[in-house]
Amino acid sequence: MPDWSRLRAWLRGARRRADRGRRGVSDAVAGAVAAAVAAAPSTVVDRTRRTAAALGRRFPAVSLALRNLSRQRLRAGLAALGIVIGVFAVVALGMLGTALQTAATEELGGLGNQVIVSPAAESGRESLNSRDLAAIERAAAGRGTVIPLKSTGATVSGGGGRTVAQVYGTTNPRPLFGDAPGVPDYHRQGALVGADVADALDLRAGSQVTIESNTYRVVAVLPPQSSITPLRADSAVVLPPDEFATEEFSQVVVQADSGSDADAVAREVRERLNARERRVSVFSLTSVLDRITEFFALLNGFLLAVAGVSLVVAGVSIFNVMLMTVSERRGEIGVLRAVGIHRDQVLRTLLVEATLLGVAGGVVGVLLGTAGVVLVALNTELPIDAVLVAANALVALGAFAFGATVALVGGLYPAYRAAWEPPVDSLRG
Amino acid sequence: MTGPDDSATVDGADDAADPDTGSTPGSAGEPAADAQPIISGRSVVKAYVTGGETVRALRGIDFRVDPGEFVAIVGPSGSGKSTLLNMLGLLDVPTGGVVELEGVDVETFSDAERTRRRKETIGFVFQSFHLIPTLTAVENVEVPRLLDRTPARTREAATDLLERVGLGDRLGHYPDELSGGQKQRVAIARALVNDPGLLLADEPTGNLDRETGDQILAEFDAITDEGVAVVTVTHDDYVAQFADRVVNLIDGTVRDDEEAVTG
């Protein structure tokens, strides 16, 4: 049983110790003031520290997780580095894929909207008559412009030289051959000369050009073609269709308003003209373009899968790091549970820790990946516009989200195991 | 605490077997005969299965702890002391018998409910302090309320408590900058931050020298003065002498209520 006099002595001692403690406070305060006066610029540091502390009190789980991560900086850094590499790979390969696809689609230009109808080889005919043209016009009604073309190869001479060129006859050159000063809405007279022909023969608007035995005035030089076209307009000469002896057309081009219109026109032309026998061959680049797009999608998917594997590996390393962390902090987690922190809260704090690794790694990975792709674009022929498209923002966002999710999933089991262990066991171990 | 052989009724009458309880100086109200115990148990059995063998750590013991009491549980290793402390701390549930916290059978609590009760009614002090190394002294005291949405009030309470245990000048220190006694005082402050009715201490002076141990015991004494019951498990005869009441636990049964037999 207690000895009361001894107890009172203890209590007196405790009170004295408390007094000493209070003196300690005032000494410490004086010391702090002196330090503050000595180091005036530290007020900024103080303010940031106070802000950080306030934020920490507002989001205790985040602040706790950050401190726990800072205990093993190297380990946390390496785990986050895994995510950095994974997200970098996804962003770099994903963005490059999108950029290539965008650049290729741009290169192919409006080609995908063209439907080219020409006589079928097996029909034995070499041209389309006005009935065919009427059928095509009905099929294309409301979906685009129908441009009947006459064409032949011919020797062209002018200036001091001569060359062989494709000669087209159409009244409506603009949709197919491009716009330039002098290209008429309705082609009635004179010749339009492709860029390469003009170069070879040194022709300008106003020059004279002789095709076979007839001489024409050059009305305009066609702009050089940037996109791929089956008409090879650069080495062509366009004449009014009346200049041709024949009344029939060698091909009819439908410039549809959109890819799906082009598809519909192609289908309907086949139905109308090829129902009984195959009279015409219908060439639509939509299907080619679709196949190109499909190829790029496949390529992109493959690249992303390779990059995704590296992210999954990063997830495994987070899993490993979190397992180590929770086994080291077993006792601490037991204390948290013992003093009344619910296991869901313990779980959440640990998940925040894992996710922070993913978020930090993801941000760095996205930044590095974007910078890398932009550098590649600046140093190669890949146009920078093809990199800066909306789809690439989606790639970046997706990669970041994937990185964070992988980290979260990696932390799930270790956090669950730690939070659900009975506190008696964790405290004993 | 009463032994199983205590023929008195469970409620109250064991005060007679413990004359000192009523005379504790400054005790927050003498435990009235009909006062509700903070925690009590009847025929409490705890059995584990380890390696195919059933170990009976507690073999049907009765106990009660009243507000403001300082109880020391002593006994040799393996006598079931820690098991009993875990039971009192709602860290473990009995395999037989009834444990009641403030009159409610703990068996009826879900895990979430037990966690909440632990937080509200029970404070823990561990032998090895178990402070979180990345948190400062004041933050360690705040730990039980760390994830509550009342940071300002928590900070105030934690600061008050640390000042009370004489660590007002160590608020921002990390555990590795504190001495053993200071760490244990931080741990006590942490145990008190939610105003518990019961404070459980597992070998609270085990890692401390005698003088520091005295400080801790004085601290406990001050706590009991405020009506908080303190139950400590100890090997230390010295601590046992300081207690209002000593429970001797040997092989899972209570042997003697009066004389400390330490092992």
Side-chain angles (χ1 to χ4, degrees), chain B residues 53-89:
Chain B
E53 226 177 302
T54 306
V55 180
R56 296 181 70 207
L58 295 177
R59 305 172 177 233
I61 66 164
D62 292 357
F63 57 81
R64 67 172 281 161
V65 180
D66 288 312
E69 263 193 307
F70 188 162
V71 182
I73 304 172
V74 296
S77 336
S79 60
K81 299 191 304 283
S82 296
T83 308
L84 180 56
L85 201 71
N86 289 339
M87 207 80 73
L88 293 171

Side-chain angles (χ1 to χ4, degrees), chain B residues 165-188:
Chain B
V165 298
L167 292 176
D169 57 339
R170 294 281 187 277
L171 297 179
H173 285 56
Y174 287 90
D176 58 7
E177 299 164 342
L178 299 174
S179 69
Q182 288 172 330
K183 281 190 220 178
Q184 194 61 302
R185 279 185 280 160
V186 172
I188 292 172

Side-chain angles (χ1 to χ4, degrees), chain A residues 49 89 137 158 161 165 197 218 389 399 404:
Chain A
R49 196 172 299 148
E137 275 174 341
V197 179
V218 174
V389 292

Side-chain angles (χ1 to χ4, degrees), chain A residues 339, chain B residues 130-132 135-146 154-163 165 167 170-171 173 175 178 182-194:
Chain A
V339 300
Chain B
H130 277 314
L131 299 181
I132 295 178
L135 301 183
T136 61
V138 69
E139 285 165 339
N140 262 294
V141 176
E142 290 172 345
V143 157
R145 279 156 73 163
L146 201 60
T154 304
R155 175 56 52 104
E156 203 179 310
T159 309
D160 282 354
L161 279 166
L162 280 180
E163 277 167 4
V165 298
L167 292 176
R170 294 281 187 277
L171 297 179
H173 285 56
L178 299 174
Q182 288 172 330
K183 281 190 220 178
Q184 194 61 302
R185 279 185 280 160
V186 172
I188 292 172
R190 176 177 68 190
L192 293 176
V193 77
N194 280 322

Side-chain angles (χ1 to χ4, degrees), chain B residues 82-255:
Chain B
S82 296
T83 308
L84 180 56
L85 201 71
N86 289 339
M87 207 80 73
L88 293 171
L90 306 194
L91 292 174
D92 219 340
V93 283
T95 42
V98 178
V99 174
E100 288 182 347
L101 179 74
E102 292 175 326
V104 187
D105 186 353
V106 300
E107 200 96 47
T108 63
F109 295 154
S110 65
D111 181 82
E113 179 76 0
R114 268 197 282 149
T115 306
R116 199 172 61 77
R117 290 296 190 129
R118 266 207 303 274
K119 178 174 171 179
E120 288 170 357
T121 348
I122 300 168
F124 284 92
V125 175
F126 305 94
Q127 176 176 11
S128 40
F129 324 129
H130 277 314
L131 299 181
I132 295 178
T134 51
L135 301 183
T136 61
V138 69
E139 285 165 339
N140 262 294
V141 176
E142 290 172 345
V143 157
R145 279 156 73 163
L146 201 60
L147 300 175
D148 292 0
R149 291 274 168 216
T150 56
R153 257 192 298 145
T154 304
R155 175 56 52 104
E156 203 179 310
T159 309
D160 282 354
L161 279 166
L162 280 180
E163 277 167 4
R164 201 184 113 179
V165 298
L167 292 176
D169 57 339
R170 294 281 187 277
L171 297 179
H173 285 56
Y174 287 90
D176 58 7
E177 299 164 342
L178 299 174
S179 69
Q182 288 172 330
K183 281 190 220 178
Q184 194 61 302
R185 279 185 280 160
V186 172
I188 292 172
R190 176 177 68 190
L192 293 176
V193 77
N194 280 322
D195 292 324
L198 175 61
L199 189 133
L200 303 175
D202 190 358
E203 302 276 13
T205 58
N207 281 350
L208 303 175
D209 60 46
R210 175 54 38 98
E211 198 203 341
T212 327
D214 284 352
Q215 292 173 18
I216 300 302
L217 289 173
E219 220 55 79
F220 284 159
D221 193 71
I223 294 162
T224 54
D225 286 357
E226 292 171 14
V228 178
V230 175
V231 177
T232 174
V233 158
T234 187
H235 275 108
D236 191 344
D237 200 16
Y238 190 67
V239 176
Q241 280 175 31
F242 188 79
D244 295 336
R245 196 146 66 78
V246 175
V247 174
N248 270 308
L249 210 56
I250 292 165
D251 283 340
T253 52
V254 176
R255 277 298 155 82

Side-chain angles (χ1 to χ4, degrees), chain A residues 173-174 180-194 198 203-209 211 215-222 237-240:
Chain A
R174 267 197 192 152
V183 176
D185 282 332
Y186 190 89
H187 192 28
R188 204 172 279 117
Q189 55 177 354
L192 305 171
V193 187
L203 298 174
R204 277 187 307 278
S207 315
Q208 297 286 316
V209 65
I211 298 165
T215 303
Y216 302 90
R217 202 172 70 88
V218 174
V219 183
V221 175
L222 294 169
V237 175
V238 184
L239 294 176

Side-chain angles (χ1 to χ4, degrees), chain A residues 233-270:
Chain A
D234 285 344
S235 54
V237 175
V238 184
L239 294 176
D242 298 346
E243 298 300 321
F244 286 72
T246 172
E247 280 304 306
E248 301 202 323
F249 305 100
S250 50
Q251 54 188 325
V252 176
V253 179
V254 180
Q255 185 74 44
D257 297 335
S258 71
S260 58
D261 279 335
D263 261 354
V265 170
R267 204 168 40 246
E268 201 163 331
V269 168
R270 279 195 201 97

